[in-house]
Amino acid sequence: MKLLIQALMAAALINAGAAFAQDATRGQKLFDECAACHSPDRTAKDTVGPSLHGVVGRKAGEGADFRYSPAMKRSGITWSADTLSNFIADPQKLVPGNRMPYSGLPDAKDRADLIAYLQANMK
């Protein structure tokens, strides 16, 4: 009986991990919505929003030639998977007063896939 319980628990953990697996290809499709304002390209000029190439590990409000909001500059955030997820979920909640006119992406799986794309393709 004890072995059966351990096997069931192990199977549950494996299935839980699969449920949270990130899909960068799906994230690339989700990025289409972001592409209205952001570019994923290394050599792209900033447009409405800053280029997101290399965003993971970068400090918020610091970029070559983009005019960031004072709120973003003083946020003290360094972009990681967690901070990006929180920001993408609700930009105004994480950085009140930022200029990004986006209501947020509420689905955690969508955010994880989008961030996987950012991490995999924009280093």
Side-chain angles (χ1 to χ4, degrees), residues 31 34-35 37-56 58-59 61-68 79 84 118 121-123:
F31 187 81
C34 308
C37 299
H38 298 282
S39 171
D41 300 326
R42 177 185 301 255
T43 59
K45 298 237 184 240
D46 295 327
T47 58
V48 174
S51 170
L52 295 182
H53 189 275
V55 69
V56 177
R58 185 167 59 196
K59 289 186 89 44
E62 293 183 4
D65 297 319
F66 189 76
R67 190 173 67 93
Y68 291 93
W79 296 117
L84 281 167
L118 293 174
N121 297 293
M122 297 186 200
K123 294 179 182 178

Side-chain angles (χ1 to χ4, degrees), residues 98-122:
N98 81 75
R99 292 186 188 132
M100 188 164 123
Y102 180 66
S103 60
L105 185 62
D107 186 87
K109 172 72 170 125
D110 288 347
R111 292 193 312 270
D113 291 345
L114 178 60
I115 292 164
Y117 169 69
L118 293 174
Q119 289 175 313
N121 297 293
M122 297 186 200

Side-chain angles (χ1 to χ4, degrees), residues 15-28:
N15 288 335
F20 293 105
Q22 297 172 353
D23 183 347
T25 301
R26 185 170 174 273
Q28 183 175 12

